[in-house]
Amino acid sequence: MAIRLIVKEPDEVLHKIAKAVAKITPNVQKLLDDMADTMYDAEGVGLAAPQVGILKRLIVVDADEEHGLIKMINPEIIQSEGEQFGPEGCLSIPGINGDVRRAETVTVRGLDREGNEITITGSGLLARAFQHEIDHLNGVLFTDIAEKVYEINAERSQTGSE
Ligand SMILES: [Zn+2]
């Protein structure tokens, strides 16, 4: 178990496009495991590799009980449906939330930690987390696409940071 440092805005690594993972090595698997530890430590529901300073297409999400922890390599949204609009936060942009329009349901295809192809369909918070994390792989932050961005009250508990 290892917790990595979460990169914060305005670090330029957050604005770059991450590279596809060509080969799943022990280092890649260790990075996925560390990302999960880091996400839980920060009480987030998702984390993308650029947020720990590494420009590889890797994400972890844990946003609903049905799916639990998902570690995904080279994730791609292959289908989107419906719409949801609501507040979103990011572990790389503490203290800020924004109202973001997202698809209500997405189907994501990628590889699991062992390199098997997996396809997962999720709705609600899980769909939001997938879209948020895959945006990170393309150098896009929620503040780039939010319709309204606002500071959050430190006393109010923040839910769903990614
Ligand atoms: Zn984020």
Side-chain angles (χ1 to χ4, degrees):
M1 161 149 178
I3 291 163
R4 304 217 181 189
L5 195 68
I6 296 177
V7 173
K8 306 269 165 66
E9 267 283 77
D11 195 305
E12 64 176 25
V13 75
L14 294 170
H15 300 272
K16 293 187 171 166
I17 293 176
K19 288 201 176 75
V21 173
K23 189 162 180 257
I24 300 169
T25 60
N27 273 344
V28 167
Q29 294 179 320
K30 168 92 166 69
L31 177 55
L32 278 169
D33 298 342
D34 288 355
M35 285 167 58
D37 292 340
T38 305
M39 172 183 73
Y40 288 128
D41 180 65
E43 297 181 350
V45 297
L47 195 73
Q51 292 182 276
V52 293
I54 295 173
L55 286 168
K56 288 187 188 318
R57 300 188 83 83
L58 302 170
I59 62 169
V60 295
V61 296
D62 187 348
D64 69 17
E65 288 194 1
E66 183 193 342
H67 296 89
L69 175 60
I70 299 164
K71 298 174 181 174
M72 221 181 212
I73 299 166
N74 301 336
E76 241 184 302
I77 294 172
I78 57 171
Q79 208 180 327
S80 302
E81 261 180 53
E83 188 180 286
Q84 57 175 312
F85 180 65
E88 200 166 305
C90 181
L91 295 173
S92 295
I93 316 174
I96 302 286
N97 269 12
D99 293 329
V100 186
R101 204 170 293 283
R102 299 282 191 188
E104 170 61 21
T105 302
V106 292
T107 299
V108 180
R109 185 170 62 200
L111 303 175
D112 70 10
R113 190 183 178 281
E114 274 63 52
N116 305 302
E117 190 175 298
I118 50 171
T119 302
I120 296 173
T121 298
S123 296
L125 183 61
L126 178 58
R128 182 176 287 281
F130 270 134
Q131 292 167 87
H132 180 112
E133 300 319 327
I134 292 169
D135 273 357
H136 269 301
L137 303 182
N138 296 319
V140 174
L141 302 177
F142 83 90
T143 44
D144 297 327
I145 57 170
E147 293 183 19
K148 196 175 131 203
V149 173
Y150 41 91
E151 286 184 26
I152 46 168
N153 187 335
E155 285 130 50
R156 216 186 306 159
S157 70
Q158 187 184 352
T159 57
S161 281
E162 292 146 51

